Amino acid sequence: NLLDENCEEAINFECKDFACGTWPLSNNLTAKLAGEDVTLSAEERWQSLAYLIHVKDKTTCTVSIIGPRWLLTSHSCVAQSDFDPLNWAAVAGSSALNGDPDRTQIKAVNRIVSHPLATKVRGFHQNDIALIELTHNLDFDELVQPICLGDKVPQPGDLCIIAGWIDKGASNQGAVSFHQYLEHIPVPTV
């Protein structure tokens, strides 16, 4: 409780704990991650994925949800447009898969923090990472969850996952329509 000496009212607040990677995997999703050729239904979502959309030029970037107010994306994707947070919005939840619009979470971007050494050398991006801070927290539920960040370098034979959004090319006057993709890749032996 905080009590202002000039005020006669108290403000009560409570911090909310969250855990990453707590959603259950369906049999189809588990099979897809193991490399089997299965089709995922709209209900089989990768809850830690969302996307950024540039409100002026409609550029989109896949983001990973790493906390209630923080997202992770590539510097190179955001650089396709601009780094003005007022031009970007984050979309998470059901409508990200063209589902129930009442379950969609759309949040404004507060700031974009790129890696200070992000660059492109001989066609390859280096330190290609940016943190996105939202103005308001995402509400975690069965459609929106944070991903766990690894605490060690992947080893040969580890299963790595790539996931993101593919623009389905909506035909309605500037509308946006996306399909989520999920693939596995083997970690190369160097």
Side-chain angles (χ1 to χ4, degrees):
N1 289 340
L2 295 178
L3 184 59
D4 185 343
E5 293 183 20
N6 299 326
C7 183
E8 295 180 16
E9 294 182 35
I11 299 171
N12 294 315
F13 64 93
E14 185 177 312
C15 293
K16 196 181 210 183
D17 286 334
F18 69 92
C20 64
T22 59
W23 62 88
L25 293 178
S26 69
N27 289 338
N28 270 354
L29 192 52
T30 303
K32 180 78 170 171
L33 293 175
E36 294 181 29
D37 186 20
V38 297
T39 303
L40 299 176
S41 70
E43 291 77 36
E44 294 171 303
R45 310 175 198 295
W46 199 251
Q47 295 94 327
S48 61
L49 277 184
Y51 62 89
L52 285 178
I53 184 162
H54 191 275
V55 296
K56 292 182 179 176
D57 69 15
K58 305 293 188 262
T59 296
T60 58
C61 300
T62 297
V63 296
S64 292
I65 301 166
I66 59 173
R69 193 170 272 201
W70 289 95
L71 310 173
L72 184 67
T73 192
S74 68
H75 165 89
S76 59
C77 187
V78 177
Q80 293 178 59
S81 292
D82 61 56
F83 291 92
D84 182 352
L86 297 176
N87 290 332
W88 293 91
V91 181
S94 181
S95 84
L97 289 170
N98 302 317
D100 181 0
D102 294 333
R103 310 270 323 261
T104 303
Q105 296 186 47
I106 301 174
K107 305 293 182 184
V109 172
N110 186 49
R111 66 180 164 149
I112 299 169
V113 183
S114 285
H115 190 289
L117 300 176
T119 188
K120 187 174 182 181
V121 176
R122 296 185 193 108
F124 294 98
H125 295 280
Q126 296 178 349
N127 303 306
D128 190 22
I129 194 167
L131 289 169
I132 309 298
E133 181 185 21
L134 303 176
T135 57
H136 295 89
N137 288 356
L138 290 167
D139 297 318
F140 292 154
D141 58 20
E142 66 275 5
L143 300 178
V144 178
Q145 292 287 319
I147 193 162
C148 299
L149 297 177
D151 58 359
K152 62 181 182 174
V153 176
Q155 299 299 309
D158 286 354
L159 178 68
C160 292
I161 308 301
I162 56 173
W165 296 98
I166 298 172
D167 185 348
K168 290 172 51 176
S171 57
N172 307 2
Q173 312 127 326
V176 179
S177 177
F178 291 94
H179 172 72
Q180 196 177 85
Y181 69 86
L182 183 65
E183 299 296 337
H184 78 287
I185 55 173
V187 176
T189 304
V190 180

